[in-house]
Amino acid sequence: MKKLLMLILLTSVGACGAIKNTTSGIKKINDTCPPKNERTIKNIFCKEPK
């Protein structure tokens, strides 16, 4: 039982670190979007310029 709990704990810590590394470049909601041909997946929450 202890081994299973340790495995789950280590897996969850590793998963949190991976998610933090991949989402660190996502732009904030208030940032304006770059031109359409320069957008990447990190520009999901950008705001269209008026």
Side-chain angles (χ1 to χ4, degrees):
M1 186 70 179
K2 289 182 182 180
K3 289 182 181 179
L4 180 62
L5 289 175
M6 286 296 287
L7 180 64
I8 292 171
L9 178 67
L10 290 174
T11 305
S12 64
V13 169
C16 289
I19 290 172
K20 183 178 178 182
N21 288 339
T22 57
T23 60
S24 64
I26 291 181
K27 293 208 175 229
K28 295 180 182 176
I29 294 173
N30 296 334
D31 290 348
T32 56
C33 293
K36 287 188 179 185
N37 58 351
E38 295 178 9
R39 292 183 190 170
T40 62
I41 192 73
K42 295 179 180 181
N43 302 116
I44 292 173
F45 300 115
C46 65
K47 189 166 77 173
E48 290 288 334
K50 291 182 180 181

